[in-house]
Amino acid sequence: MHRADHPLSRRALLDVTGVVVAAGLTAGCTSDSARPGRPAPSAADTPTQVPATGRHQAGVTLPHTAQRNLLAVVADLDAAVAPGPLLAELGQAIRTLTAGNDPRLLGLPPGDLTVTVGVGPRLVRAAGASLPGATDLPRFSRERITPQARGGDLLLQICASDALLVPVAAAALLDQTRDRIRERWRQSGHRGTNVPIGKGLTAPRNLLGFIDGIVGPHTSAEQQRDLWLAGPPAVAGGTIAVLRRMELDLPRFAALSVAEQEAVFGRRRASGAPLSGGSVSSGPELGAKTPDGRYLVPVDAHVRRAHSAMVGAGLMLRRSYSTDEPAPGLLFISFQNDLRTFTATLTRMDTSDALLPYTTTTASGTFLILPGFDRKRPLGSQLFG
């Protein structure tokens, strides 16, 4: 991770890119795919391109299965910078990068590269104090967050199946805007192997060994209800994102027995099925009890404390990416059309969720993910036009 309170220089960005590309090429020379006699990857192995334009920005529900690699960059706009022109310029750059028409990709095919842009509460309030996205996140327990790692004006979420594409695209976008933004913090992350969870859906395991992101607004009806903003017009088609970078106490969690670990989550570690029975796609039966009156899903289990029915809020589309520096942990990202969905859930978890004692949050922010854009409707024009 790199933190900065000043713009990165062009040379620094190019040096970082060169090192990453060189490292990737070196790793490729020793991988199975490069062994003598092994066929080169075919075009069928290249992920399908994801259109950057449309009603919604790419990188939330498109592609259907989230890419394996992510870099989140949080920055502030300099005081004299107008957000509208900057965002329109970013949108144009994103279109050329994801279409493969930008020489700054250094010859790499764009694959399923997506760049998703969000703006923080300060900028949203400048456009309208009552707009969705204008509210800062409150503080919660188990946080160790420096002022530099809290909040921010601008979010760039860069995702791709090809790990090399992520830093290359980031270098291009940050170099283009380096005289107008100041980076706060960044975090890269990776998702594990996807596990089928039913109805054509998959989810990865997290660093604690459990399947992550089983419950969410997966159907179109659920997404219209809980994910996408319907209005006002300035934000229609957008959503609200929350980012939380967490350190995980892996040794202490690993010291628990499997049964104790499962009681923390309320699910079976191997299958993802709730402790109340059924399959990974089954909803937990929170009222189910043993013959002696104990809840099958413990009262402090994560699946109970965070359950939307218990919270009285909507569903979150949750994405977690495992991290290995600055410490083993995860970057948690949730998308919802009401910030209360997240804040009410974490407030309830804060009181007694068995998972939280194994986590420490070290960075946090919320961002309005801007509505989609196209050639005639630049990125951010609905809000800052």
Side-chain angles (χ1 to χ4, degrees), residues 77 80-92 117 119 123 126-127 154 180 370 377-385:
L77 270 63
V81 173
L86 174 68
L87 292 168
E89 182 181 327
L90 275 173
Q92 174 62 28
V117 180
V119 292
L123 295 185
L154 183 70
R180 288 162 287 172
L370 295 165
R377 184 184 55 174
L379 178 66
S381 60
Q382 293 170 246
L383 191 62
F384 299 107

PDB file of all heavy atoms in Angstrom, residues 77 80-92 117 119 123 126-127 154 180 370 377-385:
ATOM      1  N   LEU A  77      -9.610  16.307  -3.819  1.00  0.00           N
ATOM      2  CA  LEU A  77      -9.436  17.305  -4.866  1.00  0.00           C
ATOM      3  C   LEU A  77      -8.806  18.555  -4.261  1.00  0.00           C
ATOM      4  O   LEU A  77      -9.156  18.953  -3.137  1.00  0.00           O
ATOM      5  CB  LEU A  77     -10.783  17.682  -5.493  1.00  0.00           C
ATOM      6  CG  LEU A  77     -11.248  16.862  -6.704  1.00  0.00           C
ATOM      7  CD1 LEU A  77     -11.462  15.411  -6.326  1.00  0.00           C
ATOM      8  CD2 LEU A  77     -12.508  17.465  -7.293  1.00  0.00           C
ATOM      9  N   ALA A  80      -9.103  24.454  -5.433  1.00  0.00           N
ATOM     10  CA  ALA A  80      -9.540  25.257  -6.575  1.00  0.00           C
ATOM     11  C   ALA A  80     -10.068  24.429  -7.741  1.00  0.00           C
ATOM     12  O   ALA A  80     -10.465  24.973  -8.769  1.00  0.00           O
ATOM     13  CB  ALA A  80      -8.376  26.126  -7.060  1.00  0.00           C
ATOM     14  N   VAL A  81     -10.097  23.101  -7.589  1.00  0.00           N
ATOM     15  CA  VAL A  81     -10.483  22.225  -8.701  1.00  0.00           C
ATOM     16  C   VAL A  81     -11.994  22.049  -8.740  1.00  0.00           C
ATOM     17  O   VAL A  81     -12.615  21.665  -7.737  1.00  0.00           O
ATOM     18  CB  VAL A  81      -9.783  20.856  -8.580  1.00  0.00           C
ATOM     19  CG1 VAL A  81     -10.302  19.889  -9.639  1.00  0.00           C
ATOM     20  CG2 VAL A  81      -8.275  21.022  -8.700  1.00  0.00           C
ATOM     21  N   ALA A  82     -12.598  22.311  -9.894  1.00  0.00           N
ATOM     22  CA  ALA A  82     -14.027  22.055 -10.091  1.00  0.00           C
ATOM     23  C   ALA A  82     -14.217  20.575 -10.402  1.00  0.00           C
ATOM     24  O   ALA A  82     -13.551  20.044 -11.295  1.00  0.00           O
ATOM     25  CB  ALA A  82     -14.566  22.904 -11.231  1.00  0.00           C
ATOM     26  N   PRO A  83     -15.100  19.875  -9.680  1.00  0.00           N
ATOM     27  CA  PRO A  83     -15.237  18.435  -9.893  1.00  0.00           C
ATOM     28  C   PRO A  83     -15.795  18.055 -11.256  1.00  0.00           C
ATOM     29  O   PRO A  83     -15.419  17.020 -11.809  1.00  0.00           O
ATOM     30  CB  PRO A  83     -16.174  17.982  -8.766  1.00  0.00           C
ATOM     31  CG  PRO A  83     -16.871  19.218  -8.308  1.00  0.00           C
ATOM     32  CD  PRO A  83     -15.931  20.353  -8.560  1.00  0.00           C
ATOM     33  N   GLY A  84     -16.680  18.883 -11.827  1.00  0.00           N
ATOM     34  CA  GLY A  84     -17.317  18.515 -13.087  1.00  0.00           C
ATOM     35  C   GLY A  84     -16.334  18.228 -14.211  1.00  0.00           C
ATOM     36  O   GLY A  84     -16.348  17.129 -14.797  1.00  0.00           O
ATOM     37  N   PRO A  85     -15.464  19.161 -14.582  1.00  0.00           N
ATOM     38  CA  PRO A  85     -14.506  18.898 -15.656  1.00  0.00           C
ATOM     39  C   PRO A  85     -13.549  17.748 -15.357  1.00  0.00           C
ATOM     40  O   PRO A  85     -13.213  16.971 -16.265  1.00  0.00           O
ATOM     41  CB  PRO A  85     -13.759  20.227 -15.789  1.00  0.00           C
ATOM     42  CG  PRO A  85     -14.722  21.254 -15.262  1.00  0.00           C
ATOM     43  CD  PRO A  85     -15.452  20.570 -14.156  1.00  0.00           C
ATOM     44  N   LEU A  86     -13.125  17.632 -14.106  1.00  0.00           N
ATOM     45  CA  LEU A  86     -12.223  16.530 -13.742  1.00  0.00           C
ATOM     46  C   LEU A  86     -12.891  15.185 -13.951  1.00  0.00           C
ATOM     47  O   LEU A  86     -12.302  14.258 -14.531  1.00  0.00           O
ATOM     48  CB  LEU A  86     -11.784  16.681 -12.286  1.00  0.00           C
ATOM     49  CG  LEU A  86     -10.944  15.520 -11.726  1.00  0.00           C
ATOM     50  CD1 LEU A  86      -9.569  15.475 -12.388  1.00  0.00           C
ATOM     51  CD2 LEU A  86     -10.806  15.624 -10.216  1.00  0.00           C
ATOM     52  N   LEU A  87     -14.143  15.063 -13.517  1.00  0.00           N
ATOM     53  CA  LEU A  87     -14.854  13.802 -13.665  1.00  0.00           C
ATOM     54  C   LEU A  87     -15.119  13.482 -15.126  1.00  0.00           C
ATOM     55  O   LEU A  87     -15.003  12.323 -15.546  1.00  0.00           O
ATOM     56  CB  LEU A  87     -16.163  13.847 -12.875  1.00  0.00           C
ATOM     57  CG  LEU A  87     -16.011  13.889 -11.347  1.00  0.00           C
ATOM     58  CD1 LEU A  87     -17.339  14.235 -10.689  1.00  0.00           C
ATOM     59  CD2 LEU A  87     -15.486  12.557 -10.813  1.00  0.00           C
ATOM     60  N   ALA A  88     -15.480  14.497 -15.913  1.00  0.00           N
ATOM     61  CA  ALA A  88     -15.710  14.265 -17.341  1.00  0.00           C
ATOM     62  C   ALA A  88     -14.436  13.764 -18.012  1.00  0.00           C
ATOM     63  O   ALA A  88     -14.472  12.849 -18.854  1.00  0.00           O
ATOM     64  CB  ALA A  88     -16.193  15.549 -18.008  1.00  0.00           C
ATOM     65  N   GLU A  89     -13.301  14.323 -17.619  1.00  0.00           N
ATOM     66  CA  GLU A  89     -12.021  13.891 -18.178  1.00  0.00           C
ATOM     67  C   GLU A  89     -11.705  12.460 -17.755  1.00  0.00           C
ATOM     68  O   GLU A  89     -11.223  11.650 -18.556  1.00  0.00           O
ATOM     69  CB  GLU A  89     -10.925  14.840 -17.712  1.00  0.00           C
ATOM     70  CG  GLU A  89      -9.547  14.532 -18.272  1.00  0.00           C
ATOM     71  CD  GLU A  89      -8.503  15.494 -17.742  1.00  0.00           C
ATOM     72  OE1 GLU A  89      -8.847  16.682 -17.498  1.00  0.00           O
ATOM     73  OE2 GLU A  89      -7.350  15.069 -17.562  1.00  0.00           O
ATOM     74  N   LEU A  90     -11.974  12.136 -16.487  1.00  0.00           N
ATOM     75  CA  LEU A  90     -11.766  10.765 -16.023  1.00  0.00           C
ATOM     76  C   LEU A  90     -12.637   9.789 -16.798  1.00  0.00           C
ATOM     77  O   LEU A  90     -12.191   8.706 -17.177  1.00  0.00           O
ATOM     78  CB  LEU A  90     -12.076  10.660 -14.522  1.00  0.00           C
ATOM     79  CG  LEU A  90     -10.968  11.026 -13.546  1.00  0.00           C
ATOM     80  CD1 LEU A  90     -11.501  11.030 -12.120  1.00  0.00           C
ATOM     81  CD2 LEU A  90      -9.795  10.059 -13.668  1.00  0.00           C
ATOM     82  N   GLY A  91     -13.892  10.153 -17.027  1.00  0.00           N
ATOM     83  CA  GLY A  91     -14.778   9.273 -17.773  1.00  0.00           C
ATOM     84  C   GLY A  91     -14.274   8.986 -19.171  1.00  0.00           C
ATOM     85  O   GLY A  91     -14.328   7.845 -19.657  1.00  0.00           O
ATOM     86  N   GLN A  92     -13.764  10.022 -19.844  1.00  0.00           N
ATOM     87  CA  GLN A  92     -13.216   9.833 -21.184  1.00  0.00           C
ATOM     88  C   GLN A  92     -12.005   8.910 -21.143  1.00  0.00           C
ATOM     89  O   GLN A  92     -11.845   8.011 -21.986  1.00  0.00           O
ATOM     90  CB  GLN A  92     -12.828  11.191 -21.783  1.00  0.00           C
ATOM     91  CG  GLN A  92     -12.114  11.121 -23.123  1.00  0.00           C
ATOM     92  CD  GLN A  92     -12.955  10.500 -24.213  1.00  0.00           C
ATOM     93  OE1 GLN A  92     -14.185  10.575 -24.170  1.00  0.00           O
ATOM     94  NE2 GLN A  92     -12.315   9.860 -25.189  1.00  0.00           N
ATOM     95  N   VAL A 117     -16.007   5.070 -10.346  1.00  0.00           N
ATOM     96  CA  VAL A 117     -15.670   6.353  -9.725  1.00  0.00           C
ATOM     97  C   VAL A 117     -16.760   6.766  -8.748  1.00  0.00           C
ATOM     98  O   VAL A 117     -17.951   6.738  -9.074  1.00  0.00           O
ATOM     99  CB  VAL A 117     -15.481   7.447 -10.796  1.00  0.00           C
ATOM    100  CG1 VAL A 117     -15.118   8.778 -10.141  1.00  0.00           C
ATOM    101  CG2 VAL A 117     -14.411   7.023 -11.802  1.00  0.00           C
ATOM    102  N   VAL A 119     -17.669   9.818  -5.493  1.00  0.00           N
ATOM    103  CA  VAL A 119     -17.309  11.095  -4.873  1.00  0.00           C
ATOM    104  C   VAL A 119     -17.766  11.090  -3.423  1.00  0.00           C
ATOM    105  O   VAL A 119     -18.805  10.533  -3.071  1.00  0.00           O
ATOM    106  CB  VAL A 119     -17.922  12.291  -5.635  1.00  0.00           C
ATOM    107  CG1 VAL A 119     -17.290  12.425  -7.006  1.00  0.00           C
ATOM    108  CG2 VAL A 119     -19.436  12.163  -5.763  1.00  0.00           C
ATOM    109  N   LEU A 123     -18.027  16.686  -1.514  1.00  0.00           N
ATOM    110  CA  LEU A 123     -18.394  17.102  -2.863  1.00  0.00           C
ATOM    111  C   LEU A 123     -19.900  16.969  -3.091  1.00  0.00           C
ATOM    112  O   LEU A 123     -20.508  17.814  -3.762  1.00  0.00           O
ATOM    113  CB  LEU A 123     -17.637  16.275  -3.899  1.00  0.00           C
ATOM    114  CG  LEU A 123     -16.113  16.433  -3.926  1.00  0.00           C
ATOM    115  CD1 LEU A 123     -15.522  15.646  -5.088  1.00  0.00           C
ATOM    116  CD2 LEU A 123     -15.713  17.897  -4.009  1.00  0.00           C
ATOM    117  N   ALA A 126     -21.719  19.855  -1.587  1.00  0.00           N
ATOM    118  CA  ALA A 126     -21.577  21.079  -2.389  1.00  0.00           C
ATOM    119  C   ALA A 126     -22.601  21.127  -3.511  1.00  0.00           C
ATOM    120  O   ALA A 126     -23.024  22.203  -3.941  1.00  0.00           O
ATOM    121  CB  ALA A 126     -20.164  21.155  -2.963  1.00  0.00           C
ATOM    122  N   ALA A 127     -23.035  19.942  -3.973  1.00  0.00           N
ATOM    123  CA  ALA A 127     -24.050  19.878  -5.027  1.00  0.00           C
ATOM    124  C   ALA A 127     -25.459  19.895  -4.463  1.00  0.00           C
ATOM    125  O   ALA A 127     -26.406  20.276  -5.159  1.00  0.00           O
ATOM    126  CB  ALA A 127     -23.843  18.620  -5.869  1.00  0.00           C
ATOM    127  N   LEU A 154     -12.621  11.490  -3.483  1.00  0.00           N
ATOM    128  CA  LEU A 154     -12.676  10.749  -4.742  1.00  0.00           C
ATOM    129  C   LEU A 154     -12.263   9.309  -4.515  1.00  0.00           C
ATOM    130  O   LEU A 154     -11.272   9.029  -3.826  1.00  0.00           O
ATOM    131  CB  LEU A 154     -11.731  11.389  -5.762  1.00  0.00           C
ATOM    132  CG  LEU A 154     -11.701  10.784  -7.169  1.00  0.00           C
ATOM    133  CD1 LEU A 154     -13.003  11.085  -7.908  1.00  0.00           C
ATOM    134  CD2 LEU A 154     -10.510  11.325  -7.963  1.00  0.00           C
ATOM    135  N   ARG A 180      -4.152  17.909  -9.832  1.00  0.00           N
ATOM    136  CA  ARG A 180      -5.436  18.350  -9.290  1.00  0.00           C
ATOM    137  C   ARG A 180      -5.929  17.538  -8.105  1.00  0.00           C
ATOM    138  O   ARG A 180      -6.904  17.914  -7.455  1.00  0.00           O
ATOM    139  CB  ARG A 180      -6.490  18.318 -10.413  1.00  0.00           C
ATOM    140  CG  ARG A 180      -6.308  19.415 -11.452  1.00  0.00           C
ATOM    141  CD  ARG A 180      -7.060  19.108 -12.721  1.00  0.00           C
ATOM    142  NE  ARG A 180      -6.407  18.029 -13.467  1.00  0.00           N
ATOM    143  CZ  ARG A 180      -6.919  17.458 -14.536  1.00  0.00           C
ATOM    144  NH1 ARG A 180      -8.115  17.830 -14.968  1.00  0.00           N
ATOM    145  NH2 ARG A 180      -6.267  16.507 -15.164  1.00  0.00           N
ATOM    146  N   LEU A 370     -21.159   7.399  -8.846  1.00  0.00           N
ATOM    147  CA  LEU A 370     -21.899   8.243  -9.786  1.00  0.00           C
ATOM    148  C   LEU A 370     -22.735   7.402 -10.753  1.00  0.00           C
ATOM    149  O   LEU A 370     -22.390   6.248 -11.038  1.00  0.00           O
ATOM    150  CB  LEU A 370     -20.920   9.107 -10.565  1.00  0.00           C
ATOM    151  CG  LEU A 370     -20.156  10.139  -9.721  1.00  0.00           C
ATOM    152  CD1 LEU A 370     -18.971  10.687 -10.500  1.00  0.00           C
ATOM    153  CD2 LEU A 370     -21.087  11.267  -9.292  1.00  0.00           C
ATOM    154  N   ARG A 377     -23.362  12.051 -22.350  1.00  0.00           N
ATOM    155  CA  ARG A 377     -23.610  12.379 -20.947  1.00  0.00           C
ATOM    156  C   ARG A 377     -22.343  12.060 -20.164  1.00  0.00           C
ATOM    157  O   ARG A 377     -22.144  10.950 -19.691  1.00  0.00           O
ATOM    158  CB  ARG A 377     -24.794  11.552 -20.428  1.00  0.00           C
ATOM    159  CG  ARG A 377     -25.206  11.871 -19.008  1.00  0.00           C
ATOM    160  CD  ARG A 377     -26.303  10.941 -18.543  1.00  0.00           C
ATOM    161  NE  ARG A 377     -25.927   9.523 -18.685  1.00  0.00           N
ATOM    162  CZ  ARG A 377     -26.657   8.509 -18.255  1.00  0.00           C
ATOM    163  NH1 ARG A 377     -27.825   8.739 -17.705  1.00  0.00           N
ATOM    164  NH2 ARG A 377     -26.248   7.267 -18.422  1.00  0.00           N
ATOM    165  N   PRO A 378     -21.426  13.024 -19.996  1.00  0.00           N
ATOM    166  CA  PRO A 378     -20.141  12.771 -19.348  1.00  0.00           C
ATOM    167  C   PRO A 378     -20.308  12.295 -17.898  1.00  0.00           C
ATOM    168  O   PRO A 378     -21.325  12.561 -17.250  1.00  0.00           O
ATOM    169  CB  PRO A 378     -19.433  14.128 -19.399  1.00  0.00           C
ATOM    170  CG  PRO A 378     -20.091  14.861 -20.521  1.00  0.00           C
ATOM    171  CD  PRO A 378     -21.516  14.403 -20.508  1.00  0.00           C
ATOM    172  N   LEU A 379     -19.304  11.604 -17.414  1.00  0.00           N
ATOM    173  CA  LEU A 379     -19.298  11.142 -16.031  1.00  0.00           C
ATOM    174  C   LEU A 379     -19.444  12.341 -15.088  1.00  0.00           C
ATOM    175  O   LEU A 379     -18.713  13.320 -15.202  1.00  0.00           O
ATOM    176  CB  LEU A 379     -17.983  10.407 -15.739  1.00  0.00           C
ATOM    177  CG  LEU A 379     -17.803   9.890 -14.298  1.00  0.00           C
ATOM    178  CD1 LEU A 379     -18.810   8.795 -13.981  1.00  0.00           C
ATOM    179  CD2 LEU A 379     -16.377   9.396 -14.081  1.00  0.00           C
ATOM    180  N   GLY A 380     -20.406  12.267 -14.180  1.00  0.00           N
ATOM    181  CA  GLY A 380     -20.614  13.318 -13.200  1.00  0.00           C
ATOM    182  C   GLY A 380     -21.451  14.479 -13.650  1.00  0.00           C
ATOM    183  O   GLY A 380     -21.749  15.385 -12.861  1.00  0.00           O
ATOM    184  N   SER A 381     -21.874  14.477 -14.933  1.00  0.00           N
ATOM    185  CA  SER A 381     -22.599  15.644 -15.453  1.00  0.00           C
ATOM    186  C   SER A 381     -23.976  15.802 -14.833  1.00  0.00           C
ATOM    187  O   SER A 381     -24.500  16.916 -14.748  1.00  0.00           O
ATOM    188  CB  SER A 381     -22.716  15.554 -16.971  1.00  0.00           C
ATOM    189  OG  SER A 381     -23.411  14.389 -17.363  1.00  0.00           O
ATOM    190  N   GLN A 382     -24.603  14.702 -14.378  1.00  0.00           N
ATOM    191  CA  GLN A 382     -25.909  14.825 -13.755  1.00  0.00           C
ATOM    192  C   GLN A 382     -25.827  15.564 -12.418  1.00  0.00           C
ATOM    193  O   GLN A 382     -26.760  16.263 -12.027  1.00  0.00           O
ATOM    194  CB  GLN A 382     -26.522  13.421 -13.523  1.00  0.00           C
ATOM    195  CG  GLN A 382     -26.875  12.684 -14.798  1.00  0.00           C
ATOM    196  CD  GLN A 382     -27.254  11.234 -14.552  1.00  0.00           C
ATOM    197  OE1 GLN A 382     -26.544  10.343 -14.988  1.00  0.00           O
ATOM    198  NE2 GLN A 382     -28.339  11.017 -13.837  1.00  0.00           N
ATOM    199  N   LEU A 383     -24.687  15.402 -11.737  1.00  0.00           N
ATOM    200  CA  LEU A 383     -24.520  16.014 -10.415  1.00  0.00           C
ATOM    201  C   LEU A 383     -23.819  17.358 -10.484  1.00  0.00           C
ATOM    202  O   LEU A 383     -24.163  18.289  -9.751  1.00  0.00           O
ATOM    203  CB  LEU A 383     -23.737  15.065  -9.507  1.00  0.00           C
ATOM    204  CG  LEU A 383     -23.674  15.377  -8.024  1.00  0.00           C
ATOM    205  CD1 LEU A 383     -25.065  15.353  -7.413  1.00  0.00           C
ATOM    206  CD2 LEU A 383     -22.767  14.388  -7.303  1.00  0.00           C
ATOM    207  N   PHE A 384     -22.842  17.478 -11.381  1.00  0.00           N
ATOM    208  CA  PHE A 384     -22.008  18.689 -11.409  1.00  0.00           C
ATOM    209  C   PHE A 384     -22.076  19.414 -12.750  1.00  0.00           C
ATOM    210  O   PHE A 384     -21.246  20.255 -13.039  1.00  0.00           O
ATOM    211  CB  PHE A 384     -20.544  18.321 -11.129  1.00  0.00           C
ATOM    212  CG  PHE A 384     -20.340  17.680  -9.784  1.00  0.00           C
ATOM    213  CD1 PHE A 384     -20.066  16.322  -9.683  1.00  0.00           C
ATOM    214  CD2 PHE A 384     -20.423  18.423  -8.631  1.00  0.00           C
ATOM    215  CE1 PHE A 384     -19.871  15.720  -8.449  1.00  0.00           C
ATOM    216  CE2 PHE A 384     -20.233  17.836  -7.392  1.00  0.00           C
ATOM    217  CZ  PHE A 384     -19.964  16.480  -7.294  1.00  0.00           C
ATOM    218  N   GLY A 385     -23.075  19.089 -13.591  1.00  0.00           N
ATOM    219  CA  GLY A 385     -23.179  19.726 -14.887  1.00  0.00           C
ATOM    220  C   GLY A 385     -23.609  21.184 -14.830  1.00  0.00           C
ATOM    221  O   GLY A 385     -24.068  21.672 -13.821  1.00  0.00           O
TER     222      GLY A 385
END
